[in-house]
Amino acid sequence: MEISGILLKMTGAAINAVMKTTNASIRTHGEENIPGEPVLYVINHFTRMETFFLPYILNKLTGKVVLSLAHESFFGGGFGRYLNKIGAISTNDADRFKIMAANLLTGEMACLIYPEGQMIKDKKIVEKGKFMIYNVGMRRPPHTGAALLALRSEFFRRKMIHYRETGYTRGLNQYRDYFGLKESAIDTIMKRETCVVPVNITYFPIRARNNALNKIARRFVENVPERLDEELAVEGAMIIDGVDIDINFGAPIHMGEYMDSRRMIKHIRSEKPYLFDEDMKRDLPMKSEALRLMYRYMNSIYGMTTVNHDHIFSYMLTRYRKNRIRESDFKNRSYLAIDHLRDVAIESHHSSLKFRQGFLLSDDAHDRYESFIQAAKSDGVITVEDGWITRNRERFSRPYEFHTIRADNVVEVLRNEIEPMPDLVKSFNRIMLLPEFMVRRAVRKKFLERDLDKFNRDYRKFYIPEESKPEEIGRPALMKRFFRNRRGVIVVHGYLAAPEEVRALSRYLYEHGYAVYVVRLRGHGTSYEDLATRRWESWYQSVNRGYVIMKNLAREFAIVGFSTGADLALYQSSLKNGRFKCVVSINGPLYLKNIASNFASTVVLWNRILDKMHIRKGRFEYVENRPENAHINYFKNPIAGVKQLERFMTVVRDSLENVTIPALVIQGSHDPVVNPESADDIFDRLGSARKEIIKVNAARHGIVNGEGSVHVFRRVKQFLDESFGISGD
């Protein structure tokens, strides 16, 4: 079989060009598992494009040409000749076994076979604990052809070794002539061993939509076959929109271990060459060994599926007993499933699962979730309205056409893909068996522990003797009752401060019937050096953790913030309209009076100049701070922190029109830190239909502590009660 190096290079260049002009990405894992021995790759089969790019990827990794079996329907005219030139062999080629076995003996070229024997569009591979594949209206076990090829090639090698050791030249020549082996190749063959390398290929995301390839086909081909149209819709969208293709290589399976049985050794030592299929079928014990080998590499292939968000969402969605599902519960269970991945012995998971998953529960934008929900809605599988997901019962119960299921119901396809992973499925099933209140409690506990752990680690890392305050000043806190936490409030402190700053307000609200979570902003409650390392986004994420905790505790909840905490409360409200009952801003800054802020931009610029000149002396990193509450606030203000605060105030200012929930703005009349005009600007910019502004006669910034603070507390409680529909005392 003549392979064209020029065509191989041209094919590789074309694949590279496609990858560069689209968002598609091919990532390989476990390449170290590819041995130097002759290799038969066994790979799961889901798309047509694997026929082209997998041999190229394998050639790129190993430097060896790869022979692959392709369906006979591809081999017609010039395209068939092209496939032959790049290493593809027709499933109808009478010499396919001989060609591949010869290369498994010499190792000159590697071999590739899709052991299922066809594309598995529905990814349904397991039925009643056994591997079963849909084919022409029925289910059948996977073919054992790949296993037999690997076993027989190693059997032939052992025969040749025996013939040489015993001096049986006639038998050795029979093998050499039959496989067309060069005399110089014999020595190499004796030193090698056939290996099977299981390979899994996983695509993410899988979406079906009309695209440029569909349109081109419909323009030039009259009555495009439904099967081809589906393949262009799915695979074309994957290429054009961008898909992550994860290729995992499993541990090699050495065929030598299958050659050591007494019966096998007996046949290896006989003079009979067993070059004909009927002889091997009749005399050799390979049928049961091939079946055992097939199950071994199939388990390995499907055990390496790269688990991703879509798998988790799909499995959770299909496991609900009811068709109407609370969206918050669906997200909670999906989050717990993702969190459990690290406790389950799986081979691979998508890189996006390694990142922070809190966005899934904080009701901020989560691209993976929204993409999945949109795809399920487009397929008509679900509808989403007012916080409820409703499954289309008919779409989940009807049988699908094998060749259209990827376009009709990708949720079923993705659920099927992880079914062969029993440990993973068991862990997901356990989550689905939990009552909803236990799921909420589990999520709440995880986020509370995470928040406390972050504080403890930050406190230990950044502690400064005689500067850092006692731990109880900075520790976040949950104030709740054992039962009936129907209404809740998230309370957020200000810049340079700690939860202790709003502890009195929080206790007041708790004593008047509200469950309260007192947030600790990262960089606070520890030391000024910690604050210098934080961006405003980390403060926002701190509030998000409080949001998830309260969301899984109280039926309805509001958010109250003081100073910078007020800005964070307003910004949360702008992004999560309808999630909060109301928002309260106390001395929220859009403009500052503090002189440190006025110097911040100049100082940061000066520091950057010194950095570029690699000069450490002369840098301004902190300015002195004389706080009203010395037992709470830092005595130094990091310039980097001031800059983050300035940036955040701009973000908040531009977002206020998106706040549409009831809002209360409270401002001290002679605030020495926040320019009181901030309150008027906040009030004017708010998009809320119901909003109030209260000016408190005070010459202090910290009006939530000390003299006059109870008056503020009462006004906050009154507004909360009205927003929650609670009648007065």
Side-chain angles (χ1 to χ4, degrees), residues 357-503:
Q357 301 299 317
F359 287 121
L360 182 61
L361 302 184
S362 64
D363 295 321
D364 289 318
H366 190 285
D367 291 344
R368 302 298 188 186
Y369 176 78
E370 289 163 10
S371 173
F372 171 82
I373 291 295
Q374 187 57 48
K377 287 165 63 177
S378 297
D379 286 351
V381 174
I382 62 170
T383 57
V384 182
E385 188 176 2
D386 295 331
W388 290 87
I389 298 171
T390 303
R391 295 188 309 190
N392 184 333
R393 186 181 306 173
E394 186 268 335
R395 296 300 296 270
F396 276 95
S397 59
R398 79 181 192 199
Y400 283 90
E401 290 293 328
F402 177 78
H403 290 295
T404 61
I405 188 171
R406 297 187 301 182
D408 291 341
N409 191 344
V410 73
V411 172
E412 296 271 15
V413 173
L414 291 161
R415 191 271 316 275
N416 292 342
E417 189 169 24
I418 61 171
E419 275 190 330
M421 308 175 76
D423 291 341
L424 184 71
V425 168
K426 285 178 184 177
S427 72
F428 288 178
N429 287 343
R430 283 194 293 269
I431 292 169
M432 294 307 297
L433 288 172
L434 292 173
E436 187 173 344
F437 81 91
M438 291 185 68
V439 171
R440 287 162 60 90
R441 186 170 65 186
V443 170
R444 185 173 73 240
K445 182 181 177 184
K446 280 184 178 293
F447 274 77
L448 184 57
E449 289 175 349
R450 187 166 300 165
D451 224 13
L452 290 170
D453 181 62
K454 286 181 183 295
F455 169 67
N456 291 331
R457 284 189 287 111
D458 291 348
Y459 192 85
R460 288 194 299 270
K461 180 178 179 180
F462 292 100
Y463 177 81
I464 299 176
E466 299 183 9
E467 172 66 34
S468 296
K469 308 300 188 282
E471 290 184 63
E472 59 268 18
I473 298 295
R475 186 178 289 112
L478 176 63
M479 303 177 184
K480 71 178 185 70
R481 290 160 181 80
F482 194 74
F483 292 113
R484 298 183 65 80
N485 295 283
R486 296 182 60 184
R487 295 178 294 274
V489 184
I490 301 166
V491 183
V492 191
H493 66 79
Y495 181 72
L496 294 177
E500 184 67 21
E501 182 178 56
V502 290
R503 197 88 65 184

Side-chain angles (χ1 to χ4, degrees), residues 1 3 8 65-69 82-89:
M1 186 173 182
I3 306 298
L8 281 171
V65 173
V66 178
L67 300 176
S68 61
L69 280 181
Y82 160 76
L83 287 177
N84 282 141
K85 291 291 185 182
I86 64 170
I89 305 172

Side-chain angles (χ1 to χ4, degrees), residues 68-109:
S68 61
L69 280 181
H71 195 267
E72 60 188 79
S73 59
F74 282 110
F75 292 85
F79 187 65
R81 289 191 292 275
Y82 160 76
L83 287 177
N84 282 141
K85 291 291 185 182
I86 64 170
I89 305 172
S90 170
T91 53
N92 201 34
D93 189 328
D95 290 329
R96 63 188 184 280
F97 169 77
K98 184 189 297 186
I99 295 169
M100 298 188 102
N103 280 280
L104 288 177
L105 284 169
T106 64
E108 184 178 343
M109 291 187 279

Side-chain angles (χ1 to χ4, degrees), residues 146-160:
L148 284 170
L149 173 61
L151 289 168
R152 288 180 180 183
S153 70
E154 187 59 25
F155 175 78
F156 296 149
R157 187 191 319 279
R158 299 300 176 99
K159 292 285 290 184
M160 293 173 71

